[in-house]
Amino acid sequence: MVKEGKLSSKDILKMINKKAGRTIAFSGDQENPADIKDWIPTGSRWLDSIICRGQLAGIPVGRVTEIAGLESSGKSYMAGQIAHQAQAKDIKVLYFDSEATMTSEFLVKLGCDMEGDNQILIIQPDDVEQVLETIELCMANDPDSRYLFVLDSLAMTPCRADLEKDFNPQSSMAQKPRVLSLGMQKLLTALSKTQSTFLVLNQLKTNINVNNPMMMLSQPWFTPGGKAIIYAYSLRIWLTGLKGKKTFIEDDNGYRIGSEVKSKLEKSKFGTQGRVCNFKILWAGENVGIMNDESLLTAIKSSNHLTNSGAWFTLQGHDTKFQAATFPKLMQTNEKFAKIVYDIIDEEVIQKFENKTGKAADFYELEEETKEE
């Protein structure tokens, strides 16, 4: 029993937790559930390197993350690869497929386990309330497991009021944002305590409500679902196309097999808001997903550790000369070469930003080629 009078910090801690009936208060020398203890890689080393200031990161475990993009920008491909990486960390994956497009074959191509004890569960929810209720149910009944909940997508998941009304959008206006606001209030603390992660895929839509032309340039898109859920996101990744550059990837016969996307951190609670990178995504053929190695050469092109003479490049510390086309194969077959590249990425992308070395604009803008390759 806590004695009346002047209380120590330890006494206050015990009093608060006793009153709550569970541990809700933590001292500074205790492990805090709000601390980010783990990250799930996105499949792009460059993107993982810009998410958190001063370290290699990914999708934060225990938090809510949004990946929003234009049509065919690779949202589901990224989600599938993140699910694969989560399984490698023994994290259970529940994939809410509201668009009824996520096939088992597609997930297998991305490396996901669809048959083992830790296989992905695919759920086709009726409404957003069902998504939130399922998440709450899993965490309440299995608090010792870590989960990755993927909603694909928020824009295409109705709320119950939408289903009960007619096709007039005015009939259930603002119902889904209100449901999401309440849902986030209930789930945020539970996600943190169970070290579970909620990944929300969303659409970028043209912001036609902006009358000021200058505002239209700075805020060309918005995401459906209301403003309340935006406050719940710790990280927002927006996927768009590259301006003035050929964005489709073609095979030797000219058939389109992929695209190149620009990734921007629209919101980040890790000191990196506004940072950008790009990468290519293959969406046709046997090898689908993010082409990680190809983007790394772009990430280090401005480094003093890389010299360039015409079409040939040389890495400091490695005598092999190479061209852009042979760079990915070297990354996959030469461990020494790959280690040098990763060290340069850490220096150029992570440490220089952390130490504020060089021009700030280099971290927030991409040099985009206007000539089609």
Side-chain angles (χ1 to χ4, degrees), residues 36-41 51-52 55-61 89 146 235 270:
I36 305 297
K37 304 177 186 67
D38 198 7
W39 306 82
I40 305 173
I51 286 175
C52 183
Q55 69 176 94
L56 182 66
I59 301 300
V61 170
K89 290 177 170 285
R146 297 195 298 172
L235 179 67
F270 313 109

Side-chain angles (χ1 to χ4, degrees), residues 24-86:
I24 64 170
F26 305 86
S27 62
D29 58 356
Q30 285 181 301
E31 188 176 84
N32 188 337
D35 294 336
I36 305 297
K37 304 177 186 67
D38 198 7
W39 306 82
I40 305 173
T42 63
S44 168
R45 174 69 180 245
W46 192 357
L47 178 57
D48 292 343
S49 298
I50 70 171
I51 286 175
C52 183
R53 181 185 289 273
Q55 69 176 94
L56 182 66
I59 301 300
V61 170
R63 301 289 183 91
V64 185
T65 294
E66 176 194 59
I67 297 179
L70 300 176
E71 67 278 2
S72 300
S73 59
K75 302 180 290 295
S76 295
Y77 288 83
M78 284 194 65
Q81 292 207 268
I82 291 168
H84 162 61
Q85 297 288 348

Side-chain angles (χ1 to χ4, degrees), residues 297-306 344 348 352 362 367:
L297 181 58
T298 305
I300 65 173
K301 271 188 176 179
S302 61
S303 172
N304 293 329
H305 300 292
L306 183 71
I344 295 175
E348 297 290 330
K352 281 191 175 182
D362 293 339
E367 290 186 9

